[in-house]
Amino acid sequence: MLRYLSDYKRESVLAPLFKMLEATFDLFVPLVMADIVNVGIAAHDFHYILVRCGILLLLAIVGLTCSLTAQYFSAKAAVGYSTGLRHALFEHIQRLSFTEMDTMGTSTLITRMTSDMNQVQTGLNLTLRLLLRSPIVVFGAMLMAFTIDTKSALIFAVAIPVLFAVVFAIMLSCIPLYRRVQTKLDGVTGAAQENLSGVRVIRAFTREQTETESFAEKTGDLFSAQQFVGRLSALLNPLTYVIINLAIVAILRVGGVRVNEGAITQGQLIALYNYMSQILVELIKFANLILNITKSAACAGRISQVLDTKSSMVSGADALPDGAGEAELEFRHVSFRYPQAGADALTDISFCAAPGETIGVIGGTGSGKSTLANLIPRFYDATDGQVLVRGEDVKTLQLQALRTRIGVVPQKALLFSGTIRDNLRWGNAQASDEDLWQALQDAQADQVVRGKQGGLDAEVE
């Protein structure tokens, strides 16, 4: 999936680089504060204090400029990356066969195109901005502390590994839980989609109450999963605060003794305190960043799972032959079974359809009429036997060549948003108005369209 970031290599380098610059300027602030205390305040030199305050203001302005620049580049890379990935995912889904679509389900694909993709975008944005900044500030503050006083800085060396151990332990625990939450979200999305599309059937059989209870159960499962992982992830901030504040108490205890001994100055103790406070702020940011990265990693894995899914239907290489053979269409001992089904939907079907011949297939609901029709344009592949068009097995023919020569009227009418003209031109993008009206007349729909305000340009809502 990282290849979709290749067009944003410059932004992906500049964003963390400017954040590193901002972090570097932040590390100089405690040293300036130490000078103000040790020199300015101690000597009552107001001019020296003003000059050092000017330096602090300059560091703040430069840091803000670096931060805004980093934000711009990280946002550009994250939005551009997610746009390219979303297009690639949509294009890949279009190439999947009906078998894969049935297996994965529409609801999970919708969730991965929307919720999962947005989370990946947010995670990448935060990663480019903060993933390097926080460690740089943390370890930079520890190094600066060692330049001030080695004995006091040992507290940093103990506290920081403990903090990172807590952060990564919670992160590793949360990744599978967030993946489970997104799976629960698939179930809620699927239930909503089924109820909205089948609302007439639900009302006809007075199943409103049952469906409402079923939906409430699914949303309850999602709520419980989110609540559990939320409680676990919520431990990060209080645990971080406890460890850091204990470290601050230790700094003040040890540093106070060192000041009394004359080993360090009061300004240096304040600098040590400020460095520990910087670590506190950065680790809180880092903890929240880790949570977002954890969510994004789980969502990225779900997107990658779809991209790794290969279509079970491979297009043949042969073009559809011209003219007609003995039979325009032939089924030879065709059987078909849906994935994970317990029995065949079609068993040993054989027939021939000559040019100009009309064949009606009758049977009860679920007897396989639509399934049989779907084998002709190769929406599904026969489990056994052969489907032949003009004497050629459909598996050997180019899918586009086969399907452009077959007209299918779906059992369920479906129009896309846009105008009537836009919908009609799905069959022929270059069709003239005369062609469109002729098609409407053939379908006995011209009077309906003429009655619409705007005619062919009437909006389909």
Side-chain angles (χ1 to χ4, degrees), residues 107-108 110-112 114-116 178-192 215 218-219 221-223 225-226 299 302:
S107 58
T108 185
I110 292 173
T111 304
R112 296 179 202 210
T114 52
S115 174
D116 288 349
Y178 278 121
R179 197 173 290 125
R180 190 182 306 167
V181 165
Q182 291 301 111
T183 303
K184 300 281 186 185
L185 181 59
D186 288 343
V188 172
T189 306
F215 187 78
K218 287 183 172 64
T219 53
D221 288 344
L222 175 61
F223 172 76
Q226 286 178 321
C299 293
R302 285 160 50 81

Side-chain angles (χ1 to χ4, degrees), residues 167-446:
V167 168
F168 281 100
I170 293 179
M171 180 190 75
L172 293 175
S173 301
C174 286
I175 287 178
L177 295 176
Y178 278 121
R179 197 173 290 125
R180 190 182 306 167
V181 165
Q182 291 301 111
T183 303
K184 300 281 186 185
L185 181 59
D186 288 343
V188 172
T189 306
Q193 182 189 29
E194 289 170 1
N195 276 271
L196 291 173
S197 61
V199 64
R200 289 180 175 84
V201 178
I202 293 170
R203 290 176 180 176
F205 287 90
T206 62
R207 299 275 296 179
E208 295 95 333
Q209 184 62 34
T210 304
E211 291 301 318
T212 300
E213 291 172 358
S214 175
F215 187 78
E217 183 180 347
K218 287 183 172 64
T219 53
D221 288 344
L222 175 61
F223 172 76
S224 299
Q226 286 178 321
Q227 191 178 51
F228 180 74
V229 70
R231 285 173 174 168
L232 181 61
S233 61
L235 289 173
L236 266 178
N237 277 1
L239 286 175
T240 305
Y241 269 107
V242 167
I243 296 169
I244 287 291
N245 280 296
L246 288 174
I248 288 174
V249 170
I251 285 286
L252 294 175
R253 174 70 179 82
V254 174
V257 173
R258 300 284 286 171
V259 170
N260 286 335
E261 293 173 348
I264 61 174
T265 65
Q266 291 178 341
Q268 288 175 320
L269 176 59
I270 291 173
L272 289 170
Y273 172 82
N274 284 338
Y275 280 129
M276 188 59 77
S277 297
Q278 280 188 344
I279 291 175
L280 172 62
V281 172
E282 288 305 319
L283 280 174
I284 291 170
K285 290 181 185 177
F286 192 66
N288 291 324
L289 171 65
I290 291 298
L291 289 179
N292 274 285
I293 291 177
T294 301
K295 293 178 186 177
S296 300
C299 293
R302 285 160 50 81
I303 294 171
S304 180
Q305 186 181 23
V306 178
L307 291 172
D308 289 340
T309 301
K310 304 298 182 185
S311 178
S312 58
M313 187 169 293
V314 180
S315 177
D318 298 339
L320 189 67
D322 294 326
E326 294 181 359
E328 191 79 2
L329 170 68
E330 183 179 359
F331 275 53
R332 291 182 182 172
H333 304 288
V334 171
S335 296
F336 176 77
R337 178 178 296 196
Y338 287 101
Q340 286 94 44
D344 289 346
L346 299 172
T347 305
D348 197 21
I349 304 293
S350 297
F351 68 89
C352 293
E357 186 177 4
T358 300
I359 294 180
V361 182
I362 62 173
T365 302
S367 60
K369 304 183 298 297
S370 300
T371 301
L372 186 146
N374 285 332
L375 295 178
I376 302 170
R378 207 183 165 203
F379 293 152
Y380 295 97
D381 277 333
T383 307
D384 295 303
Q386 289 180 301
V387 178
L388 298 98
V389 173
R390 292 183 179 170
E392 296 288 336
D393 191 326
V394 291
K395 293 182 181 179
T396 66
L397 300 175
Q398 299 172 10
L399 283 174
Q400 187 174 0
L402 172 67
R403 290 173 181 173
T404 52
R405 300 299 296 272
I406 295 174
V408 178
V409 180
Q411 186 172 353
K412 182 180 179 181
L414 177 65
L415 295 175
F416 290 87
S417 57
T419 63
I420 294 175
R421 186 193 307 276
D422 294 334
N423 277 272
L424 288 170
R425 281 183 170 168
W426 272 68
N428 179 7
Q430 308 303 322
S432 64
D433 283 9
E434 184 180 346
D435 295 331
L436 300 180
W437 283 114
Q438 184 60 52
L440 288 168
Q441 187 175 345
D442 292 342
Q444 298 181 5
D446 55 325

Side-chain angles (χ1 to χ4, degrees), residues 107-125:
S107 58
T108 185
L109 295 176
I110 292 173
T111 304
R112 296 179 202 210
M113 283 281 294
T114 52
S115 174
D116 288 349
M117 194 67 71
N118 290 339
Q119 185 60 55
V120 168
Q121 177 179 314
T122 301
L124 179 60
N125 191 349

